Amino acid sequence: MEQVSTEVHNMHVAAKLFRALDDPSRLVILHHLLTGPHRVKDLVEHLSISQSTVSQHLAVLKSNGLVQVRAEGRASVYSVTNPETLTALLISAERLLAENGQIVELCPEHSAS
């Protein structure tokens, strides 16, 4: 019985991670962050959405361990916590989508075609 509860717990943890990735704006943020650290202001300019919305998305990504933040003067600078692991996940997603006939680019340095 304990194995089942551990399995269920693990699936809840995984589902929480996938929910963090289920928003197009969060994927765009991660895409930009894979090219290097960005200030919130930079992300606001790239996305053309409000600072509060960008900050909310960053909070979700941070709470799931996908991004980290450091202070630089008065600015907060965000970066991907584990770029190699995230890149591998996004490349796998590109391949899976390509196998289903949807060619998309999720990684800045990689193309599914």
Side-chain angles (χ1 to χ4, degrees), residues 4-19:
V4 172
S5 64
T6 300
E7 182 180 16
V8 170
H9 169 75
N10 291 344
M11 294 308 130
H12 280 285
V13 171
K16 184 176 181 238
L17 172 67
F18 284 112
R19 279 192 301 273

Side-chain angles (χ1 to χ4, degrees), residues 92-113:
S92 294
E94 286 177 354
R95 289 180 182 151
L96 183 59
L97 289 165
E99 289 174 8
N100 291 308
Q102 299 176 319
I103 306 301
V104 298
E105 182 182 323
L106 299 174
C107 275
E109 301 293 321
H110 181 266
S111 175
S113 51

